[in-house]
Amino acid sequence: MRLHSVAEHEENELFCQLPDTSTLVINEIMLMPGDLPDVTAEWIEIYNAGNTYVDLLGWTIETSNGDKHILEKAKAVGGLASLIIYPGAYVILARSADQAKNGGFVPSYEYGAAISLPDPLESGTDVAYDIMIKDTDGKVIDSVTVDSKKMTLLDGASMELYHPYADNSAAASWIAAGQN
């Protein structure tokens, strides 16, 4: 759904000029947290591929399964500043901010039980659904289709884009973390 960046190569093939963009990218997703429970250890990482900062206050995380959550100040782990994504930076939106339950990290935001990311081990069957981020006007800024028939999912490993400018709508652009 997002506008995909295209690099422009000049005479020097080692230099690429990326076009200006304000697109946020769903860059990494933890669906199958291994020995940790899904209800505390799932998370979504968003990357700012643009050249300006983006304030996520009032933005929405939504799935095609009917889950929906509007990002609010009260759930920002580090206060409002943790909802700002600067160019080239990442934020992690997680089910739990409790480090004893989520695998030991501090996310930028805790969305709680509002969003569930089903996986084949949890459901006992293949899964296919969309994860979307929407701006304050409800416009879809980025979306990813999770499809266990097309993606390689490893229990205990997140799924990540092999490069933040890769086409995240293509299943081949996703790899298990640590596999590149």
Side-chain angles (χ1 to χ4, degrees):
M1 291 248 20
R2 72 182 170 96
L3 300 174
H4 302 287
S5 300
V6 177
E8 297 174 17
H9 292 276
E10 300 297 327
E11 289 181 28
N12 180 349
E13 291 182 9
L14 299 176
F15 176 78
C16 291
Q17 178 65 43
L18 294 172
D20 290 341
T21 178
S22 63
T23 302
L24 297 183
V25 179
I26 298 171
N27 186 69
E28 191 169 354
I29 307 164
M30 175 54 88
L31 301 173
M32 300 169 50
D35 294 336
L36 299 171
D38 288 11
V39 297
T40 60
E42 293 176 342
W43 49 263
I44 302 164
E45 180 185 83
I46 300 173
Y47 173 71
N48 184 347
N51 58 0
T52 60
Y53 76 88
V54 177
D55 183 351
L56 294 176
L57 183 64
W59 284 49
T60 302
I61 315 165
E62 193 170 326
T63 72
S64 59
N65 293 334
D67 295 342
K68 183 177 181 178
H69 179 77
I70 298 173
L71 302 181
E72 57 188 77
K73 178 182 177 181
K75 295 189 179 243
V77 175
L80 282 178
S82 66
L83 288 178
I84 296 174
I85 308 179
Y86 291 93
Y90 302 83
V91 297
I92 297 178
L93 313 175
R95 276 188 90 167
S96 174
D98 185 338
Q99 294 179 51
K101 296 179 180 178
N102 72 10
F105 71 96
V106 178
S108 306
Y109 188 86
E110 178 180 17
Y111 54 78
I115 302 291
S116 176
L117 306 175
D119 67 65
L121 291 180
E122 176 185 21
S123 66
T125 185
D126 287 316
V127 296
Y129 58 92
D130 297 323
I131 302 170
M132 298 159 273
I133 53 172
K134 296 180 177 182
D135 66 15
T136 55
D137 295 326
K139 178 183 173 192
V140 175
I141 300 303
D142 195 27
S143 69
V144 171
T145 298
V146 174
D147 188 336
S148 61
K149 288 183 179 179
K150 296 179 181 177
M151 297 174 147
T152 301
L153 304 177
L154 296 178
D155 195 26
S158 62
M159 294 183 340
E160 65 181 357
L161 282 175
Y162 69 84
H163 190 280
Y165 291 98
D167 179 357
N168 72 353
S169 67
S173 296
W174 291 89
I175 58 174
Q179 304 299 306
N180 57 351

